[in-house]
Amino acid sequence: MQVRAALLADAPAIAEIYNHGIEDRVATFETKPRSADDVAAWFDGVHPILVVEDDGRVIAFAATSTYRPRDCYRGIAEVSVYVARASRCRGAGRLVLQELFTACQQAGYWKLVSRVFPENTASRRLIASLGFREVGVYEKHGQLDGVWRDVIIVERLLIEG
């Protein structure tokens, strides 16, 4: 497995992997499948996006996006990581996140934040092992398929002190 910066040409593979997460209903509130064009809009030249390739095929990605538009938050990014169903539990998520930390530091970010469904124990274990800390719970943060869902707020500092 090899990590590299994502390219626009990877948008179809990234969309396919993200759509797995949408279908599984354990990683996102999104319900509408995403197209390659939707994913292409993520490439803004500011927020790092990395992929993991295995045998020439994209099997995972980690993407960052704007946390809040206020200037004081410019060094904080939202982070998401998704792994193709057939490639889960092989270390691709860990690998891409570890590399994303470096890419984000180089891009000037000092913190990554995200939200995770409480029952997504695999993601919670992974991110905890990589230094994310759980800082609280948003209760009834959104509805998924008509059911209120809580999310755990997580953060990881990328700088010391």
Side-chain angles (χ1 to χ4, degrees):
M1 290 187 285
Q2 172 183 337
V3 179
R4 62 170 174 78
L7 307 169
L8 272 175
D10 297 318
I14 293 170
E16 181 180 346
I17 293 166
Y18 186 52
N19 288 337
H20 291 169
I22 292 172
E23 293 166 8
D24 293 344
R25 297 297 203 259
V26 296
T28 180
F29 282 106
E30 298 295 339
T31 57
K32 178 184 146 220
R34 295 300 190 255
S35 68
D37 287 340
D38 294 329
V39 170
W42 300 356
F43 289 80
D44 62 5
V46 175
H47 295 92
I49 305 171
L50 303 180
V51 296
V52 176
E53 273 189 337
D54 188 27
D55 209 18
R57 188 166 177 260
V58 173
I59 62 165
F61 74 90
T64 57
S65 60
T66 301
Y67 166 66
R68 298 278 188 271
R70 292 177 55 194
D71 195 48
C72 61
Y73 299 127
R74 74 186 178 287
I76 302 172
E78 292 268 357
V79 62
S80 297
V81 61
Y82 288 85
V83 179
R85 281 189 191 120
S87 298
R88 292 178 185 161
C89 299
R90 294 181 41 215
R94 171 177 302 281
L95 188 63
V96 74
L97 276 175
Q98 288 173 318
E99 294 294 324
L100 186 72
F101 299 156
T102 301
C104 285
Q105 285 175 311
Q106 290 171 348
Y109 292 96
W110 63 78
K111 186 195 302 195
L112 298 176
V113 297
S114 194
R115 290 163 312 281
V116 183
F117 290 140
E119 59 277 358
N120 191 343
T121 55
S123 286
R124 289 176 67 193
R125 271 194 311 270
L126 171 64
I127 61 178
S129 75
L130 291 171
F132 281 84
R133 72 182 190 104
E134 296 183 356
V135 296
V137 175
Y138 286 137
E139 295 180 0
K140 293 181 174 53
H141 196 59
Q143 288 189 10
L144 181 60
D145 299 326
V147 177
W148 284 108
R149 303 288 296 274
D150 297 345
V151 291
I152 297 171
I153 308 153
V154 298
E155 70 176 4
R156 186 185 192 282
L157 294 175
L158 300 174
I159 58 172
E160 303 275 332

